[in-house]
Amino acid sequence: MVVLITGANGQLGQSLQFIASNYPELHFVFCASADLDITNLENCQTVFSKINPNYCINAAAYTAVDKAENDPEKARLINVVGAKNLAEICKKHSTILMHISTDFVFDGSLSPRVQSRGYTEVDLPNPTGIYGHTKLDGEKAIQATFDNYYIIRTSWVYSQFGNNFMKTMLRIASERDSISVVNDQIGTPTNAVDLAEVLIKIICHPESSRGTTSNFGIYNFSNEGQCSWYDFARKIFEINNITINLQAIPTSSFPTPAKRPKYSVLDKTKIKNIFGITIKNWEESLKPYIFRL
C-alpha cells in the first residue's frame, strides 16, 4: 500500500514521518512543496505517474489565518486550486484522497443546539474569514470532482514541529514574566500525532484496505473535551512547571485581521462509530508533547 503525503515539512507531515516506522505494511512517500507543488497540475501528474499511490494525504495548506486576509490569492491558490488539482489527479490514478480541513469553516455562532454537542459533519458551514472560505471552497472542489475522498476537519493543531500555539506559549514564557490570552474563544486542541494515527487507522481499516468503501465523505477529528485559548495556555504552563502571570482577556481586547469562531468544538461521533476510534482528552494528549520539547 503506497501512501503519498503532501506538505511533508508541515506539522502533520512531520508527525506522519514521526510514526511511519510503526506501520511497515505501508510504504510512505513524503513530498515537500519542492518535490510536489499541488498548485501545478502538470507537476502533480508527473509525481503521481512515478509513484502511483493508493492513498494521498493532503497535508499541504495555507494556514496563516491572519495573513490570508491580505493575501487571498495565495490562500486560494493553495487551498482551493491545489485541492482541486489533487482531486483530479487522484481520480485519474484511482487514488483515494485524504484531505485535511478545519473548524474555521464554521462561524462559531453560539446556538444552544450546537453548544450541546459541537458541530457535526452535516451542520451548515459559514466561514467568516479568507482562510475558512478557501478551506471550504477546497472541500467543495474535491466533492465536485470525484467521490473517493475523506475530508477530515480538525482544530487547534499543535506539535513539536513547526510553529503553533503551544510552542509560541513556551517561547513567550522564556522571554516575559506575563502574558494575556483570550478566554472567550472555545474549541479543542488537537495533538498532530493523534491526527496522524487516525488517518493511518482509516487507511488500515478492513473496508478501506479492500480498496472499496462506502465510508467516503466528511469527518470531524480533534481530541476530546473543550477549552479556551486561556485554558490551553494555562495547562501548557502547568504541565511544564512554568510560573508566569497569565491574564484572561476578551477577544475584543486582542483584535486580529481575521475573525475567529467563538465556538468551534467538533462532534466526533461519526468517526468514532464508523472506524472504532477511541479519542484521548486534549489534556491527556498534551503531556507527551511537553516532555518531548
Side-chain angles (χ1 to χ4, degrees), residues 103-272:
D103 58 328
F104 274 53
V105 299
F106 298 112
D107 60 15
S109 59
L110 296 173
S111 70
R113 180 176 62 86
V114 170
Q115 273 191 297
S116 67
R117 53 158 169 76
Y119 282 103
T120 70
E121 291 83 355
V122 298
D123 283 319
L124 186 66
N126 185 35
T128 59
I130 298 297
Y131 169 67
H133 275 287
T134 59
K135 291 301 288 183
L136 179 59
D137 287 346
E139 290 183 10
K140 292 178 178 178
I142 292 168
Q143 292 172 302
T145 303
F146 79 146
D147 298 325
N148 294 1
Y149 64 83
Y150 296 100
I151 293 172
I152 313 294
R153 291 172 177 163
T154 191
S155 63
W156 297 22
V157 178
Y158 67 90
S159 69
Q160 71 263 45
F161 309 110
N163 298 314
N164 56 74
F165 181 82
M166 178 186 70
K167 292 179 73 175
T168 297
M169 290 298 102
L170 293 174
R171 176 181 55 78
I172 290 175
S174 71
E175 300 169 349
R176 305 184 203 166
D177 296 324
S178 64
I179 184 174
S180 298
V181 181
V182 297
N183 70 341
D184 56 355
Q185 295 174 25
I186 307 299
T188 308
T190 302
N191 174 320
V193 167
D194 287 352
L195 174 58
E197 292 276 9
V198 163
L199 297 176
I200 295 176
K201 285 178 181 177
I202 293 173
I203 291 173
C204 295
H205 188 269
E207 189 172 344
S208 301
S209 62
R210 283 194 294 268
T212 59
T213 177
S214 60
N215 295 334
F216 294 128
I218 297 176
Y219 291 85
N220 293 335
F221 179 81
S222 68
N223 286 111
E224 294 283 24
Q226 63 182 50
C227 65
S228 68
W229 289 107
Y230 170 83
D231 298 326
F232 190 15
R234 182 176 60 184
K235 182 57 66 173
I236 290 168
F237 297 139
E238 176 188 314
I239 292 173
N240 212 44
N241 296 315
I242 292 174
T243 300
I244 189 170
N245 180 20
L246 179 62
Q247 299 292 324
I249 59 170
T251 298
S252 58
S253 297
F254 189 72
T256 55
K259 183 180 178 181
R260 267 71 171 170
K262 285 280 189 177
Y263 182 90
S264 62
V265 175
L266 300 172
D267 180 275
K268 277 80 67 174
T269 301
K270 180 180 177 183
I271 200 168
K272 288 189 288 188

Side-chain angles (χ1 to χ4, degrees), residues 10-72:
Q11 285 194 81
L12 179 56
Q14 292 187 74
S15 295
L16 284 160
Q17 292 180 62
F18 183 72
I19 64 172
S21 62
N22 297 333
Y23 300 91
E25 69 274 24
L26 301 179
H27 175 63
F28 294 94
V29 179
F30 293 93
C31 292
S33 58
D35 310 307
L36 172 56
D37 178 3
I38 66 171
T39 69
N40 185 318
L41 186 60
E42 184 177 348
N43 180 231
C44 291
Q45 174 59 48
T46 300
V47 173
F48 270 66
S49 294
K50 290 179 181 178
I51 297 171
N52 196 26
N54 302 97
Y55 279 82
C56 172
I57 299 177
N58 182 26
Y62 186 104
T63 59
V65 177
D66 289 322
K67 288 183 179 179
E69 296 298 309
N70 295 317
D71 196 3

